[in-house]
Amino acid sequence: MTTPFPFTAVVGQDDLRLALLLNAVSPAVGGVLVRGEKGTAKSTAVRALSALLPEVSVVAGCRFSCDPAAPDPGCPDGPHEAGTGASRPSRMVELPVGASEDRLVGALDIERALAEGVKAFEPGLLADAHRGILYVDEVNLLHDHLVDLLLDAAAMGASYVEREGVSVRHASKFLLVGTMNPEEGELRPQLLDRFGLTVEVAASREPDQRVEVVRRRLAYDDDPAGFAAGWADEEAAVRQRIVAARELLPSVRLGDGALRQIAATCAAFEVDGMRADIVMARTAVALAAWAGRTDVLAEDVRQAALLALPHRRRRNPFDAPGLDEDKLDETLEEFGGPDDDPDPDPGPDGPGGGGGQPDPDDAPQGDGDTAARPEAGENGQPRPSGAGEQSPVRASEPFRAKVLSVPGIGEGAAGRRSRARTEHGRTTGARRPKGALTKLHLAATVQAAAPHQRARGRSGPGLVVRRDDLRQATREGREGNLVLFVVDASGSMAARQRMSAVKGAVLSLLLDAYQRRDRVGLVTFRGSAAEVALPPTSSVDAAAARLETLPTGGRTPLAAGLLRAHEVLRVERLRDPARRALVVLVTDGRATGGPEPVALAGRAARLFAADGVASVVVDCESGPVRLGLAGQLAGELGGTAVTLDELRADSIAGLVKDVQRRAA
């Protein structure tokens, strides 16, 4: 068994350690979401936490970790007699991003069903995680069908399985901890709200602290057991402090003054629902217990707000998480209660302190890549400049965009845009498996094996099944696509009102891509060249940031933009052949610069048609006299042209059918 890195040996990251410890003290806080760039000890800290948790008492032999003091009356392994049990360490169960639905919730034990003819339930990860930690690394990449199951279990504290003739319910209460890199995409709002606390982490910019990180990591890699032994006393001290805080927790008093501050803070930041108030209250109580106090103070409320509210105040996916601390302080001062202690006991020292304002030197630095440098282009090179360049303009108000989908049926990653054959979705039939069997179609398998039972000498209740009888279920769902935006930023698009509308339209499509779990990329062209402003990524936040800082001006190298986009798609097909692309070209159709620019653009467009790439041209031409160049370009691409107004959800009901008809 691998020796985990000691929790107390993690350098810095005080907010992260405090959030994890508060959940160890009071699991009712609701878990932690850790957001930050790669290489910031997110996973290391989470995995180290399990070693600090006190042991749990379980009913001996129960696969669902029932508490012997209060066994679950509906436990599938029950009924249990109260008072008989044994202790074991707290578990930390890791949910892989690519896990199957059966692995998460459990399923019919196929082996026993076919061999013995009995129904038997095989528990999944939700059963293993009961009364422990369920950890999801890269939680923002978790497939939607798994997110739905997690939401149900987190809301009800139980897992319900109704499938393949099996009906099982078992308790599943766990501490949900997730880590994510915002550059790789955001989290669904429903799951985001289920995390009690959120923490932004970033690598320290202090040389001395970075040196200490490297020193400790190298020492651990050389001798994990010896390194852990050197931190054993610190680990034991924190473990004892967690136990003491848990014992003190029921005695902590949450006064009316603190409650008023909590309610006023949630109202001031306009968070949705009442979950934020409840989580703040539980966090403030846990902070007081961790500090060794029996009264909740204003500093506890402030720290609770900094941990519980940032991810709940986001109004749309492009709002950066965080709180205005000046506004927070004003609210706390205005609604300070009469039971606030002006000179609180700071409590014992330890990881995370005793609540209150975090050290500004350890504050997260934010997502350095999301806020793009305005003048940075591909590979960090300056953006090409052109004559008459204008400064960036703000996007107009986004709107709900109509769905643009890729024709046909794909086999890409699960998402919500285009039809696809997927591992999850509605069952449409059965087939012989190609390679390893991943989803058994039980009825089809039994039907294939039934005619051969006499010839195979069946004598008992079980069914004699051979490999040739196995049938793979075929399912149809939705896939996520690569939506590549190719945006004309030339002088012909430079009118401020016009470019504002263009940016608003692209931003609306980016919002739609976020909701449909797409990857997005951004190619722009102006002056004398085209550039990849954003390589394909799952982070629509990054795409929106690049769009916001996009300047305009110069000539219109349309052919260069199309050729650069074609090259991006070629590389992405090598990386992920199953993910289909949708090109959204935003232009007025004009082409200038160089010899025969219109003819060159036409030839470049026909490359997309030859490859069968689905495309939509957003026609930005305006004015009483229109040349119809965008429509001609759409014909060369083998796609469809729509105006900016037609992008609105109520205006292009026939667009997808038109795209499909052209592709047929």
Side-chain angles (χ1 to χ4, degrees):
M1 181 176 178
T2 304
T3 303
F5 193 91
F7 185 86
T8 51
V10 174
V11 178
Q13 308 296 11
D14 289 348
D15 285 346
L16 168 58
R17 292 190 295 154
L18 176 60
L20 292 172
L21 289 169
L22 292 177
N23 275 274
V25 170
S26 175
V29 167
V32 186
L33 174 65
V34 187
R35 295 165 45 95
E37 58 196 22
K38 51 188 175 292
T40 50
K42 300 188 298 293
S43 300
T44 298
V46 173
R47 292 189 175 99
L49 176 67
S50 60
L52 296 178
L53 297 180
E55 291 189 340
V56 295
S57 296
V58 297
V59 174
C62 177
R63 297 174 297 168
F64 302 90
S65 300
C66 280
D67 185 350
D72 181 5
C75 176
D77 284 354
H80 303 300
E81 294 184 6
T84 61
S87 295
R88 64 160 175 79
S90 293
R91 287 177 182 162
M92 188 186 74
V93 177
E94 293 197 40
L95 172 60
V97 169
S100 66
E101 187 174 334
D102 290 347
R103 184 71 188 97
L104 179 61
V105 301
L108 177 68
D109 189 332
I110 298 298
E111 183 177 350
R112 292 191 62 189
L114 295 179
E116 304 174 22
V118 298
K119 294 181 182 179
F121 180 70
E122 185 176 356
L125 296 177
L126 289 179
D128 293 341
H130 180 45
R131 304 177 66 203
I133 301 173
L134 182 62
Y135 171 48
V136 189
D137 193 13
E138 306 295 352
V139 64
N140 51 322
L141 304 182
L142 199 64
H143 290 173
D144 281 351
H145 67 283
L146 298 181
V147 170
D148 293 337
L149 295 170
L150 272 183
L151 288 172
D152 290 343
M156 297 182 292
S159 175
Y160 292 83
V161 183
E162 302 281 349
R163 59 198 309 180
E164 297 167 343
V166 174
S167 179
V168 174
R169 174 263 176 209
H170 65 82
S172 183
K173 297 180 180 178
F174 47 83
L175 173 60
L176 181 61
V177 180
T179 56
M180 61 174 283
N181 183 349
E183 296 177 8
E184 297 173 345
E186 281 296 338
L187 199 61
R188 276 178 56 182
Q190 296 92 332
L191 183 56
L192 185 66
D193 189 52
R194 282 292 170 186
F195 287 97
L197 310 179
T198 186
V199 178
E200 294 277 336
V201 297
S204 172
R205 299 300 183 256
E206 291 295 328
D208 290 343
Q209 196 171 69
R210 295 175 75 97
V211 167
E212 187 61 24
V213 169
V214 175
R215 181 181 291 117
R216 293 186 186 183
R217 186 69 212 191
L218 293 178
Y220 171 77
D221 290 341
D222 289 341
D223 182 10
F227 183 82
W231 289 88
D233 292 342
E234 289 82 353
E235 293 281 286
V238 173
R239 191 178 297 110
Q240 292 172 5
R241 188 175 173 188
I242 291 174
V243 173
R246 283 187 173 187
E247 294 174 351
L248 184 63
L249 193 68
S251 303
V252 176
R253 186 179 70 90
L254 183 64
D256 289 342
L259 279 173
R260 279 196 301 273
Q261 288 182 318
I262 290 170
T265 300
C266 292
F269 286 99
E270 300 180 349
V271 296
D272 295 328
M274 294 297 299
R275 184 174 285 122
D277 303 62
I278 297 171
V279 171
M280 270 191 68
R282 289 171 174 167
T283 304
V285 169
L287 280 162
W290 177 247
R293 290 186 266 98
T294 56
D295 286 306
V296 173
L297 307 179
E299 66 178 72
D300 300 321
V301 175
R302 186 183 195 280
Q303 181 70 78
L306 292 172
L307 293 173
L309 296 188
H311 61 303
R312 291 188 166 89
R313 62 159 294 276
R314 302 183 70 184
R315 312 311 298 176
N316 68 63
F318 303 144
D319 288 341
L323 291 182
D324 183 340
E325 295 194 28
D326 290 337
K327 180 178 179 181
L328 174 61
D329 291 335
E330 291 174 2
T331 303
L332 294 176
E333 183 177 354
E334 179 181 356
F335 290 90
D339 52 355
D340 288 340
D341 186 351
D343 186 21
D345 178 8
D349 295 331
Q357 184 172 355
D359 186 345
D361 292 336
D362 294 328
Q365 301 299 314
D367 182 1
D369 288 337
T370 299
R373 292 187 295 272
E375 296 303 320
E378 185 182 13
N379 300 323
Q381 298 300 316
R383 295 184 183 276
S385 60
E389 178 178 305
Q390 297 188 18
S391 59
V393 298
R394 295 189 62 84
S396 63
E397 190 68 22
F399 50 82
R400 187 168 65 90
K402 193 68 175 181
V403 181
L404 308 178
S405 62
V406 178
I409 300 179
E411 296 182 346
R416 295 182 171 185
R417 184 171 296 279
S418 305
R419 293 175 58 199
R421 286 183 288 270
T422 62
E423 290 294 324
H424 310 279
R426 63 185 183 89
T427 301
T428 58
R431 60 174 174 81
R432 291 181 183 273
K434 299 176 182 178
L437 180 71
T438 57
K439 193 67 180 178
L440 180 73
H441 193 298
L442 185 59
T445 298
V446 172
Q447 187 176 8
H452 308 292
Q453 297 306 294
R454 185 185 297 261
R456 294 173 183 174
R458 172 184 168 184
S459 58
L463 194 67
V464 180
V465 178
R466 295 178 179 172
R467 182 167 183 78
D468 289 344
D469 301 326
L470 299 179
R471 294 295 182 268
Q472 173 84 28
T474 57
R475 297 188 169 193
E476 183 176 309
R478 293 279 170 176
E479 67 176 2
N481 298 116
L482 167 58
V483 182
L484 183 61
F485 294 93
V486 186
V487 180
D488 183 351
S490 64
S492 63
M493 303 283 288
R496 301 188 73 83
Q497 184 176 1
R498 184 177 178 187
M499 197 61 196
S500 177
V502 167
K503 287 187 176 183
V506 177
L507 189 63
S508 302
L509 293 171
L510 283 171
L511 281 165
D512 183 68
Y514 162 77
Q515 294 165 352
R516 301 188 186 282
R517 312 288 285 182
D518 293 318
R519 287 172 61 82
V520 297
L522 178 63
V523 173
T524 64
F525 56 95
R526 65 186 180 91
S528 59
E531 65 165 337
V532 182
L534 181 71
T537 175
S538 296
S539 175
V540 293
D541 283 8
R546 301 302 198 275
L547 181 71
E548 190 70 23
T549 58
L550 178 66
T552 56
R555 295 186 176 183
T556 312
L558 177 56
L562 292 172
L563 291 174
R564 180 57 66 92
H566 188 267
E567 177 63 16
V568 170
L569 295 183
R570 184 190 68 80
V571 173
E572 288 302 307
R573 276 195 295 270
L574 295 175
R575 292 176 177 170
D576 189 357
R579 188 180 290 270
R580 297 186 296 164
L582 174 66
V583 173
V584 179
L585 175 59
V586 185
T587 181
D588 56 9
R590 290 181 172 85
T592 60
E596 299 183 342
V598 176
L600 284 174
R603 286 199 291 271
R606 287 191 288 274
L607 293 175
F608 292 85
D611 290 342
V613 177
S615 60
V616 174
V617 178
V618 180
D619 185 359
C620 302
E621 192 174 26
S622 60
V625 179
R626 302 196 178 198
L627 302 178
L629 297 175
Q632 297 175 22
L633 185 60
E636 300 277 9
L637 287 164
T640 299
V642 296
T643 64
L644 288 173
D645 290 338
E646 290 172 334
L647 275 177
R648 296 181 180 273
D650 299 332
S651 303
I652 54 172
L655 175 61
V656 175
K657 293 182 179 179
D658 191 23
V659 172
Q660 293 173 335
R661 184 173 61 252
R662 288 174 177 269

